[in-house]
Amino acid sequence: MNTGTEAHPGVRLLPCDISAYREGNTGIEYITTFDSGLPGPHVMVNALTHGNELCGAHALTYLFENDVRPVRGRLTLSFANVAAYETFDAANPYASRFVDEDFNRLWDQSTLEGSRTSQELTRARAMREVFGVVDHLLDIHSVDLPQPAMLLAGQRAKGRALAAAIGKPRHVVMDRGHDAGKRVRDFAAFDDPESPSSACLVECGYHFHTEATDIAIETSLRFLRHLGVVSDSFVDAHLPQGDDEPQVFVEVTDAVTIKSDEFRFVRTFEGFETLPEESTLIAHDGNHPIRTPYPDCVLVMPAREPMPGKTAVRLGRLA
Ligand SMILES: [Zn+2]
């Protein structure tokens, strides 16, 4: 692992050593499955889909170190893009998102079964058999800017139901993913309305804040509790107490794609601002004003560095 001479400002969370989990017990590196021997669902908590999203590595390490075991069904804990994680450099902390390409845009059959190769595709092809057999998935992520944590539930009712059952973070976003390629969250049965399999992606806030680890652990425990895979005593020992706030569900309707080199927001948006008036000005793209298309428009995941061709922000309705 590289250590830069000077950490990027704001980097308070650093990688942890996950080499103990390399061998695993599945024949696939960095994937461990615990089998209760009793009937029940096969559930999976996955970290490091993006190599610089460190909180997931900390959360799984926490679960391993606390001897998490399923009381029914099976529990798989996996670290996905370890090759990218191993390149993490605190002086350049955004650079280790992936090695060759985004692991989370590869999850359609034609890409997985195609002839193209990359480090991430090799890893995806190795992990595919596991993602293909688990019943329920929690995929742990974090984001480029300090902003509220959220669950991304996909576009099916079952994803929303899973997010509601997890109960926290407060914000839940229903979206169809990215034109650039399918996410793990939307892979195969997870996005098939006829299948009972379900998945949620949790964005635990800013990559390099220690609070992201707390959110990743809490969300994992809530996910496992909902599915009845871990004992009540394990949950009680590790899950923070407190009342849940009602969740806010946002259905993404539009994505603002940046067209010019001169895109700028009219002010700093943190995410989940609800703009009551239709046609509220939110940004300029060169000379082109960007306005909200309807009343009570919610801004989702404003970009850190607006770049042409990328999504500046998603727009949604309370749902
Ligand atoms: Zn991510």
Side-chain angles (χ1 to χ4, degrees):
M1 196 166 298
N2 301 327
T3 47
T5 47
E6 219 169 296
H8 188 275
V11 173
R12 302 204 301 263
L13 185 66
L14 292 170
C16 53
D17 181 3
I18 60 170
S19 58
Y21 314 115
R22 178 178 186 142
E23 190 171 337
N25 63 1
T26 60
I28 307 166
E29 284 191 353
Y30 288 104
I31 304 183
T32 300
T33 296
F34 298 114
D35 190 341
S36 69
L38 297 170
H42 185 176
V43 311
M44 180 177 190
V45 182
N46 181 60
L48 297 180
T49 288
H50 293 126
N52 66 336
E53 301 183 359
L54 310 176
C55 61
H58 285 273
L60 290 199
T61 299
Y62 178 90
L63 293 175
F64 275 117
E65 288 181 348
N66 285 284
D67 297 322
V68 67
R69 292 292 183 276
V71 293
R72 67 173 190 134
R74 278 170 291 168
L75 170 62
T76 291
L77 303 177
S78 59
F79 303 87
N81 200 343
V82 178
Y85 179 68
E86 287 175 340
T87 71
F88 184 84
D89 178 352
N92 194 11
Y94 293 97
S96 52
R97 180 175 170 86
F98 52 76
V99 177
D100 295 326
E101 62 178 324
D102 192 330
F103 182 86
N104 214 25
R105 303 289 182 271
L106 306 177
W107 293 90
D108 58 83
Q109 309 294 342
S110 60
T111 304
L112 290 168
E113 290 168 11
S115 56
R116 212 161 60 67
T117 60
S118 68
Q119 287 219 33
E120 278 75 16
L121 264 168
T122 300
R123 182 64 174 154
R125 286 166 182 150
M127 291 188 75
R128 176 186 180 177
E129 61 185 89
V130 182
F131 285 118
V133 298
V134 299
D135 298 308
H136 304 286
L137 167 70
L138 179 68
D139 191 23
I140 302 175
H141 290 247
S142 53
V143 296
D144 282 350
L145 282 173
Q147 57 174 276
M150 69 192 88
L151 288 158
L152 302 186
Q155 53 186 345
R156 309 292 176 201
K158 62 185 184 177
R160 178 179 175 144
L162 177 61
I166 295 170
K168 213 175 164 183
R170 181 167 167 248
H171 291 99
V172 180
V173 174
M174 278 88 71
D175 70 331
R176 50 180 285 277
H178 305 273
D179 291 337
K182 221 176 225 199
R183 302 172 294 197
V184 170
R185 203 233 69 86
D186 306 310
F187 175 53
F190 300 136
D191 192 46
D192 177 356
E194 303 300 317
S195 164
S197 291
S198 64
C200 265
L201 185 166
V202 60
E203 300 280 11
C204 300
Y206 184 47
H207 303 314
F208 311 120
H209 281 176
T210 53
E211 296 88 330
T213 295
D214 300 336
I215 293 169
I217 293 169
E218 181 170 1
T219 309
S220 299
L221 290 168
R222 286 169 165 270
F223 169 75
L224 297 174
R225 177 178 67 178
H226 161 60
L227 293 161
V229 170
V230 291
S231 67
D232 291 345
S233 60
F234 187 87
V235 171
D236 290 344
H238 299 286
L239 188 66
Q241 305 294 313
D243 294 334
D244 292 358
E245 290 178 276
Q247 284 175 305
V248 176
F249 294 85
V250 179
E251 189 160 1
V252 170
T253 60
D254 300 87
V256 175
T257 303
I258 300 165
K259 298 197 171 65
S260 81
D261 290 326
E262 289 174 33
F263 183 97
R264 61 189 193 283
F265 288 107
V266 296
R267 65 180 173 90
T268 301
F269 292 110
E270 195 188 40
F272 297 108
E273 290 86 352
T274 301
L275 305 177
E277 303 289 333
E278 181 178 335
S279 276
T280 301
L281 183 68
I282 56 170
H284 297 278
D285 194 352
N287 293 326
H288 179 63
I290 310 287
R291 296 178 183 278
T292 56
Y294 42 77
D296 297 322
C297 182
V298 185
L299 305 188
V300 178
M301 295 180 88
R304 178 178 68 97
E305 271 181 12
M307 289 171 32
K310 298 277 186 191
T311 301
V313 65
R314 295 155 187 85
L315 307 175
R317 295 179 196 273
L318 296 172

